[in-house]
Amino acid sequence: MDKSVHKLVDKRVGKFEDNSVDKQISHQSEVLPWLSMWSNYLTQAPFSQSAQAVSASHTLQQLIEASLQGDSCIETDSTQLEALGDLAVSSEIAAIQVAPCVYDQQGLALYRYWNLEQRLADQICRLKRQTTQAMDISSYQALLNDEYQQAALKMAMQQWLSIITGGPGTGKTYTLARIIAALNQMIPDIRIAMAAPTGKAAQRMQEALQNSFNDPKLLESGLVTDELRHQNTQTLHRLLGLGHQQVPRFHAKQPLPYDVIVVDEASMLDLNLATLLLEAVPDSCRIILLGDANQLASVDVGSVLADLQQVEALTENRVQLKNSRRFSDEAKIGQLARFIQAQQDQIEHHAVLPKLESEIVAPSSLQAIALSECMPDLIQLEYLPQQSDFEVEPYQQKLMYGFQGYVDALKAYLQSLEPEHEIERVIQSFDDYRILAAVRHGPVGIEQLNRFAELWLNQQLKQIAIGDWYVGRPVMMTYNDYQLGISNGDIGICFKHRSQSQQFEVFFPSLNKWIAAHRLPRNMQTAFALTIHKSQGSEFSHTAVVLDQAAEKLLSQELIYTAITRAKKVVTLLADPSALLQALTIRTVRRSGLVHKINLSGL
């Protein structure tokens, strides 16, 4: 098949790479007919000479549908390969000839994802094979008391690729700050980049790093410089210089100008972004990946962090932090996280919810929770009615309890003679609470919840929205806008314009940037409620997690684990019983060929 056909296939397939999980479900009825037409078209002459066009078309549809779920390949057999004919080639041939599909021992893949995995495997091997000079780190070991954190420090000094994983509160950023402080001391004029996949994750990374660099014990060591205290974080898209055409400014021929690159929330790395990143990492540059391997994988194709955890040759390149300081053995949220991680399939299916109710939280009616600094962590659970036509408003009303502090802060802002002094309190109050749902649509999907929250807030504040805008409207960017300088996932809050009181202005805390509301795109999402996927990299004092049967195709242990570990103090669960059971018992394992390709390299 010639390159023009490959470009057509790659372009059309690219249409299905969606950064919103909701669309994978809500647009499925639109996607499947298109897939059928596309695959039927591709299996006809002149693209294919196969006599088994119907069978070939079915296999192509199956392959695309799998990629929509994040799998890079599918199982295949000789009959399917024979039906595909010249639409599929072996991995050996694919190295010199482009075709829509490639097959190897791991299965059948679209050429794009096979190629990305091959390129990523090559970069992992390059980083692994580089040798480092021995460093004496004995004087820095006292910076850390935890044995796993000490092991992470030692690894980062000895390896060009370091993977540090751990659950919430295990000290990933705390450890990172000491690693960076030590490297900064040992390497003159060191150049450091800190990045995360989304704007919100980058903001959280910067806040956590600043707190860690201001730790008294670290300050007493004399290792923290002004440059470290003011170290900026950014999105990976900004780091790589990805513009509108998604062509990176930095790549293998023009590598990134850094000595250390740190990526937080690495579980969110998909195949494409991970490949672009590692190809841009120069020789003799350390790259440190931080993440929680139990969280959701990326929305797009691939589960890079989980795959790297399985490569035996990378044993020296990874450390898992195990001791949580946020959640003690008695802490309810920590207990729930461990309950989710446990293999619930080891007990009878019908016994899982009774076990949850007896060991972790008994169901009751949701209550308003007053947050305080020294409160013990708390979980509350209420079940949604199992009939489909239940009255949803009382449950939506209960989910508003958590926004009462936000309402109080906004009232103080509106009534103040110096409203600018109240802005920080408004921002903090909003970050105290968030509603997380699995999907966009449905009676308790984020669209309905955000619509209800808007009406409720404006009633509380006795104000009327002007168009889409009103004081207190939280909004989230859904794509990267390079002209405005805001990225997918950045969240802002609408206030009165600082100099024109009849206008509105939106402040983005992660960017410390004000933008006039009329300059923002009309498709900005209201963000009282977020999808669980969009919440990755965020942290709230109180998180409400809503699960209903509309999310059936997405529910998994990774989903609910990610949701509840966004909370520091309180988790509110509002769930359909069968949906909750499904979330507790289904583990998602993505099919991938990356581990196999790395192993083939002979590391």
Side-chain angles (χ1 to χ4, degrees):
M1 180 170 292
D2 62 32
K3 290 185 179 180
S4 62
V5 174
H6 164 64
K7 288 180 180 179
L8 171 65
V9 172
D10 190 63
K11 180 179 179 182
R12 299 300 287 177
V13 170
K15 296 284 187 183
F16 289 95
E17 292 176 11
D18 198 325
N19 201 31
S20 169
V21 171
D22 317 308
K23 293 180 182 178
Q24 292 180 4
I25 293 177
S26 62
H27 293 343
Q28 190 174 35
S29 59
E30 300 172 17
V31 168
L32 295 183
W34 191 92
L35 278 180
S36 179
M37 289 187 292
W38 177 81
S39 56
N40 287 337
Y41 174 73
L42 196 61
T43 53
Q44 304 299 320
F47 306 114
S48 174
Q49 306 301 319
S50 173
Q52 303 178 51
V54 174
S55 178
S57 176
H58 177 75
T59 300
L60 288 173
Q61 289 182 55
Q62 185 183 355
L63 185 56
I64 303 289
E65 288 172 28
S67 72
L68 291 174
Q69 303 304 317
D71 297 328
S72 63
C73 58
I74 61 172
E75 288 188 72
T76 189
D77 55 38
S78 57
T79 303
Q80 290 174 307
L81 294 178
E82 183 181 348
L84 285 170
D86 52 1
L87 291 175
V89 298
S90 69
S91 56
E92 292 80 12
I93 295 176
I96 56 174
Q97 175 185 325
V98 173
C101 305
V102 182
Y103 60 88
D104 57 20
Q105 294 180 15
Q106 299 307 295
L108 181 70
L110 291 170
Y111 179 88
R112 173 178 185 153
Y113 300 125
W114 175 87
N115 179 253
L116 283 171
E117 285 185 339
Q118 191 63 58
R119 289 162 55 191
L120 182 55
D122 290 343
Q123 297 307 315
I124 295 293
C125 296
R126 173 178 67 91
L127 292 167
K128 175 62 178 175
R129 286 170 178 151
Q130 291 185 98
T131 56
T132 59
Q133 293 182 346
M135 290 185 174
D136 181 9
I137 62 170
S138 56
S139 59
Y140 304 108
Q141 289 289 87
L143 293 173
L144 295 160
N145 298 322
D146 182 286
E147 61 177 308
Y148 300 105
Q149 294 175 353
Q150 289 178 340
L153 171 64
K154 183 178 179 180
M155 172 183 65
M157 297 298 171
Q158 296 177 342
Q159 303 290 339
W160 294 110
L161 170 65
S162 298
I163 304 166
I164 303 173
T165 59
T170 52
K172 294 187 293 294
T173 308
Y174 176 90
T175 305
L176 173 66
R178 282 145 181 77
I179 290 171
I180 294 301
L183 287 171
N184 186 61
Q185 184 74 12
M186 299 176 76
I187 302 175
D189 303 317
I190 191 171
R191 298 163 301 171
I192 302 169
M194 304 278 190
T198 67
K200 188 62 178 177
Q203 178 192 1
R204 285 290 311 132
M205 184 187 191
Q206 181 148 348
E207 292 169 356
L209 271 173
Q210 288 175 349
N211 289 337
S212 295
F213 282 137
N214 288 323
D215 178 73
K217 183 177 179 180
L218 188 55
L219 289 174
E220 288 171 10
S221 71
L223 298 176
V224 180
T225 63
D226 286 339
E227 289 81 4
L228 287 185
R229 275 199 292 266
H230 296 93
Q231 176 73 45
N232 289 323
T233 61
Q234 58 188 312
T235 64
L236 285 172
H237 285 77
R238 287 197 181 106
L239 176 72
L240 292 169
L242 282 166
H244 290 289
Q245 302 300 318
Q246 294 298 292
V247 177
R249 176 186 173 193
F250 296 101
H251 41 76
K253 293 183 179 179
Q254 185 173 337
L256 289 160
Y258 297 105
D259 304 300
V260 179
I261 297 171
V262 181
V263 179
D264 200 8
E265 298 293 344
S267 65
M268 300 170 70
L269 283 173
D270 59 70
L271 261 182
N272 183 60
L273 192 56
T275 302
L276 294 179
L277 170 65
L278 266 63
E279 286 181 336
V281 174
D283 290 341
S284 302
C285 172
R286 285 176 170 80
I287 181 162
I288 302 172
L289 304 179
L290 283 83
D292 186 344
N294 293 304
Q295 284 190 31
L296 285 163
S298 62
V299 172
D300 288 326
V301 172
S303 51
V304 174
L305 184 64
D307 285 347
L308 295 182
Q309 296 291 97
Q310 300 176 45
V311 179
E312 191 172 338
L314 296 179
T315 301
E316 294 180 343
N317 300 80
R318 56 179 181 254
V319 170
Q320 181 179 4
L321 307 182
K322 298 182 179 180
N323 300 318
S324 177
R325 285 155 181 78
R326 184 192 302 176
F327 302 132
S328 66
D329 290 342
E330 295 76 29
K332 284 295 183 182
I333 299 177
Q335 289 178 17
L336 179 55
R338 289 189 290 274
F339 184 90
I340 294 166
Q341 290 174 275
Q343 293 298 316
Q344 300 302 338
D345 55 2
Q346 295 177 1
I347 65 174
E348 293 291 333
H349 199 66
H350 64 81
V352 173
L353 288 186
K355 190 170 187 279
L356 173 76
E357 294 167 8
S358 63
E359 295 183 4
I360 309 296
V361 56
S364 61
S365 179
L366 300 184
Q367 304 295 319
I369 304 295
L371 296 174
S372 64
E373 192 66 33
C374 58
M375 67 181 292
D377 64 337
L378 175 69
I379 299 173
Q380 55 178 343
L381 165 67
E382 182 170 357
Y383 287 130
L384 288 166
Q386 291 192 277
Q387 67 267 28
S388 59
D389 58 347
F390 68 90
E391 186 180 354
V392 70
E393 185 172 334
Y395 298 98
Q396 294 173 330
Q397 187 69 43
K398 289 180 181 181
L399 290 170
M400 297 303 108
Y401 292 159
F403 285 123
Q404 191 56 55
Y406 184 52
V407 168
D408 293 341
L410 286 169
K411 285 180 177 178
Y413 163 81
L414 289 169
Q415 295 166 5
S416 175
L417 296 177
E418 297 180 312
E420 64 275 8
H421 294 164
E422 301 295 331
I423 289 174
E424 185 58 39
R425 180 188 167 194
V426 171
I427 294 167
Q428 182 56 57
S429 297
F430 180 65
D431 275 344
D432 275 342
Y433 178 67
R434 199 76 85 253
I435 304 169
L436 306 182
V439 293
R440 178 178 304 283
H441 303 289
V444 284
I446 66 166
E447 285 190 353
Q448 290 279 25
L449 291 172
N450 278 319
R451 193 172 296 118
F452 185 88
E454 285 186 319
L455 294 172
W456 177 83
L457 179 75
N458 287 327
Q459 287 173 356
Q460 297 291 311
L461 299 179
K462 296 180 172 57
Q463 65 177 358
I464 298 173
I466 301 176
D468 294 329
W469 297 103
Y470 50 88
V471 170
R473 182 192 178 195
V475 291
M476 181 177 67
M477 192 64 178
T478 57
Y479 64 92
N480 298 320
D481 189 309
Y482 300 98
Q483 286 188 328
L484 291 175
I486 50 180
S487 300
N488 183 17
D490 285 339
I491 289 180
I493 297 176
C494 181
F495 294 95
K496 289 183 177 180
H497 199 287
R498 290 165 295 168
S499 59
Q500 303 172 44
S501 60
Q502 301 305 310
Q503 302 291 325
F504 292 110
E505 203 171 13
V506 177
F507 181 65
F508 290 86
S510 63
L511 308 172
N512 193 29
K513 175 183 287 190
W514 291 88
I515 299 178
H518 71 267
R519 294 188 59 207
L520 293 169
R522 290 185 61 84
N523 61 353
M524 292 287 285
Q525 287 184 5
T526 303
F528 294 100
L530 305 176
T531 61
I532 295 170
H533 281 78
K534 286 290 188 183
S535 75
Q536 281 186 276
S538 301
E539 190 176 87
F540 314 105
S541 298
H542 180 180
T543 299
V545 182
V546 185
L547 302 174
D548 70 336
Q549 277 303 315
E552 180 182 1
K553 295 184 179 179
L554 288 177
L555 296 174
S556 66
Q557 291 178 352
E558 293 83 0
L559 188 85
I560 189 172
Y561 174 87
T562 299
I564 66 109
T565 55
R566 301 308 90 209
K568 294 184 290 185
K569 295 287 186 181
V570 182
V571 170
T572 291
L573 283 170
L574 180 63
D576 174 274
S578 58
L580 180 58
L581 177 61
Q582 184 171 341
L584 293 171
T585 54
I586 292 179
R587 179 169 289 278
T588 302
V589 179
R590 287 188 172 178
R591 190 171 180 87
S592 164
L594 180 60
V595 175
H596 176 69
K597 290 178 177 63
I598 295 174
N599 290 337
L600 276 181
S601 68
L603 276 184

